[in-house]
Amino acid sequence: MAAQTLQLRPLGNTGLNLSSVGFGASPLGKVFGDVSEQDAFAAVREAFRHGVNFFDTSPYYGGTLSEKVLGKALKALGAPRDEYIVSTKCGRYKEGFDFSAERVTKSIDESLERLQLDYVDILQCHDIEFGSLDQIVNETLPALQKLKQAGKIRFIGITGLPLGIFTYVLDRVPPGTVDVILSYCHYSINDSSLEDLLPYLKSKGVGVISASPLAMGLLTEAGAPEWHPASSELKAACRAAVDHCKGKGKNISKLALQYSLANTDISSVLVGMKSVKEVEENIAAALELATTGTDEETLSEITDILKPVKNQSWPSGIQQS
Ligand code: NAD
């Protein structure tokens, strides 16, 4: 019998096939607590060994630390460059937001140097709700198209929290300008509002990456980090769901990841990982979903617990005029 491997899923019209579980590298920037370089390298190696081919980072994560650590870890794999897909971002930095053509054009060179790569597969405008969406349409995306022509990036994406930003931009650019969107915290057990947007994105040929299946830590036993923007009501409901699972000897993070993975219109579910243990658990969750399915009973119990806060999000970005 062939060894079980992760499913590969097409990413919109890009021709790329992403592993269903993607490696979110923000934890490598220590945004979820300390991580040694050794643990980070081991996590990346273990993920790649199990068929994870998609790695996502940003200059913002840990003030460039995530890009540097991921770059070293990928280099240490010694694998041919076309065996892994790397996405990074532009426009959001430790110092603040800057989506100007000048800044994003400089930014990719800095990212490539930190990542020790000649090109990235996807460059995404990071959290565009914090900038002017019209600037994204009229200035940032044209600058990224030039980077595409120059061979520094293969595909272009936009990311952010409010779902309306995606339709705003996609309705205003020619087809093929934006290859991919990255949405986060909107396809999880507590919030699945991305689902309604999937037919629209499909009709536009835009690939969909869904990040934060564990709701940035809310759906983990360790809980959310200090900076988590959820309301105290949402945090408490998620804590109750975690405790319910724990009481039954179940792992909420496994159920949460399986929930996100079950929708095959999502090309890759990006989960933040910082240890071999987390990688192994998440790969096992994906393989279990593909073979025996998920624990429907516990999922339904958690869904009930989370019903009062279903699709509750938090404000993000500046009001667009
Ligand atoms: P997440 O929901 O994936 O949660 C990550 C947290 O869960 C970390 O603390 C991690 O250590 C922990 N974890 C992972 N596997 C676990 C397991 N099996 N058991 C218990 N805990 C586990 O949130 P995230 O990291 O914010 O999102 C994933 C990735 O998506 C990010 O790393 C980043 O690459 C990307 N992302 C992008 C944006 C954006 O572009 N605006 C926003 C959010 C996330």
Side-chain angles (χ1 to χ4, degrees), residues 129-130 161-162 184 186 216 228-231 234 312-319:
E129 69 270 27
F130 287 92
L161 184 73
Y184 72 100
H186 285 313
M216 299 194 304
H228 201 294
S231 70
L234 178 53
Q312 187 187 110
S313 192
W314 47 85
S316 178
I318 53 171
Q319 200 74 32

Side-chain angles (χ1 to χ4, degrees), residues 159-298:
T159 86
L161 184 73
L163 293 167
I165 58 173
F166 299 121
T167 46
Y168 186 96
V169 171
L170 289 168
D171 283 344
R172 286 166 177 77
V173 295
T177 306
V178 173
D179 302 295
V180 38
I181 66 108
L182 185 160
S183 161
Y184 72 100
C185 288
H186 285 313
Y187 205 97
S188 219
I189 304 175
N190 59 299
D191 182 341
S192 57
S193 48
L194 174 63
E195 193 160 22
D196 293 342
L197 200 61
L198 294 175
Y200 166 90
L201 295 167
K202 208 175 205 177
S203 75
K204 295 261 181 192
V206 172
V208 182
I209 297 164
S210 176
S212 313
L214 313 183
M216 299 194 304
L218 288 176
L219 302 177
T220 64
E221 289 186 5
E226 191 70 35
W227 51 259
H228 201 294
S231 70
S232 48
E233 186 196 14
L234 178 53
K235 284 180 180 163
C238 290
R239 175 46 61 192
V242 171
D243 290 345
H244 177 78
C245 286
K246 220 172 160 183
K248 288 184 74 179
K250 307 279 182 177
N251 180 347
I252 194 155
S253 300
K254 177 167 97 171
L255 283 165
L257 180 58
Q258 289 177 337
Y259 178 88
S260 297
L261 286 169
N263 192 324
T264 52
D265 284 337
I266 291 167
S267 300
S268 190
V269 175
L270 268 175
V271 54
M273 296 185 266
K274 57 180 172 339
S275 67
V276 166
K277 181 172 177 281
E278 286 179 355
V279 170
E280 282 174 349
E281 282 179 12
N282 295 335
I283 301 288
L287 297 182
E288 181 187 282
L289 179 70
T291 49
T292 50
T294 198
D295 175 354
E296 296 289 353
E297 184 188 294
T298 311

Side-chain angles (χ1 to χ4, degrees), residues 53-119:
N53 71 356
F54 176 44
F55 299 84
D56 175 73
T57 183
S58 162
Y60 176 63
Y61 301 148
T64 71
L65 181 65
S66 168
E67 282 192 332
K68 286 180 198 146
V69 174
L70 180 65
K72 283 193 212 171
L74 290 173
K75 190 159 198 188
L77 293 177
R81 178 63 186 89
D82 61 359
E83 287 186 10
Y84 51 88
I85 293 160
V86 179
S87 66
T88 191
K89 310 193 183 81
C90 61
R92 179 167 203 177
Y93 311 96
K94 195 171 83 181
E95 304 76 36
F97 290 88
D98 187 347
F99 291 102
S100 67
E102 190 186 346
R103 183 68 191 99
V104 300
T105 302
K106 193 163 162 259
S107 182
I108 184 63
D109 289 334
E110 296 164 355
S111 289
L112 291 175
E113 195 177 330
R114 286 190 288 265
L115 285 161
Q116 305 183 52
L117 296 174
D118 297 330
Y119 68 93

